[in-house]
């Protein structure tokens, strides 16, 4: 969804995003960041686990002031991070926020909810603990 009519310079037309420069690009492990988020918006990422395991989900986020977001595995009861605060140190001051969760083997959909909006998300990773 294009929130402000400005799709940025790094997107597919479905999200507001723009190109990062260093050092955020190196930290984020991405060339782009999602921004201009509004309360209640979300993005989803699919991943597969070949066996049941514990994973750490890492979201790299930034915001001008502290905001709240949450992560969940769609359709999986109890798989919700609860509220997570962004660092609130500036639009390009990305920090990692993590959530540890058990997953079964198979496909999963990770949803990142922008509870408060007004935050940037530059990357998400899922790694076995």
């Amino acid at each position: 969804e294009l929130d402000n009519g400005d799709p940025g310079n790094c997107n597919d037309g479905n999200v507001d995003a723009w190109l990062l420069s260093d050092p955020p690009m190196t930290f984020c492990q991405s060339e782009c960041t999602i921004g201009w988020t509004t309360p209640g918006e979300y993005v989803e990422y699919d991943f597969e686990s070949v066996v049941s395991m514990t994973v750490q989900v890492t979201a790299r986020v930034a915001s001008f002031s502290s905001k709240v977001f949450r992560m969940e595995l769609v359709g999986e009861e109890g798989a919700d991070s609860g509220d997570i605060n962004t660092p609130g140190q500036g639009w390009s001051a990305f920090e990692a926020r993590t959530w540890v969760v058990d997953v079964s083997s198979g496909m999963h959909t990770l949803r990142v909810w922008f509870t408060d909006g007004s935050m940037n998300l530059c990357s998400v990773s899922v790694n076995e603990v």
Side-chain angles (χ1 to χ4, degrees):
E1 173 181 340
L2 301 178
D3 304 325
N4 63 2
D6 180 3
N9 57 0
C10 186
N11 77 61
D12 63 5
N14 294 318
V15 297
D16 293 329
W18 73 92
L19 289 169
L20 289 170
S21 58
D22 267 329
M25 185 169 51
T26 300
F27 173 75
C28 291
Q29 303 167 6
S30 174
E31 294 180 354
C32 302
T33 184
I34 295 171
W36 297 286
T37 59
T38 60
E41 281 189 312
Y42 62 87
V43 292
E44 292 181 341
Y45 302 92
D46 293 327
F47 69 96
E48 184 175 12
S49 176
V50 295
V51 297
S52 295
M53 67 177 76
T54 301
V55 298
Q56 178 173 289
V57 181
T58 303
R60 293 163 190 86
V61 296
S63 58
F64 182 74
S65 60
S66 184
K67 299 294 180 179
V68 174
F69 74 103
R70 55 190 314 122
M71 297 183 275
E72 69 176 12
L73 296 179
V74 176
E76 299 184 37
E77 189 172 328
D80 185 311
S81 68
D83 289 346
I84 303 172
N85 291 316
T86 63
Q89 300 297 312
W91 296 117
S92 295
F94 290 93
E95 292 184 13
R97 296 295 188 258
T98 60
W99 172 44
V100 175
V101 62
D102 293 323
V103 297
S104 60
S105 63
M107 291 298 298
H108 303 276
T109 299
L110 170 69
R111 181 177 290 161
V112 179
W113 284 97
F114 304 114
T115 310
D116 286 343
S118 297
M119 62 174 281
N120 296 339
L121 171 72
C122 66
S123 63
V124 174
S125 58
V126 179
N127 296 295
E128 185 175 8
V129 175

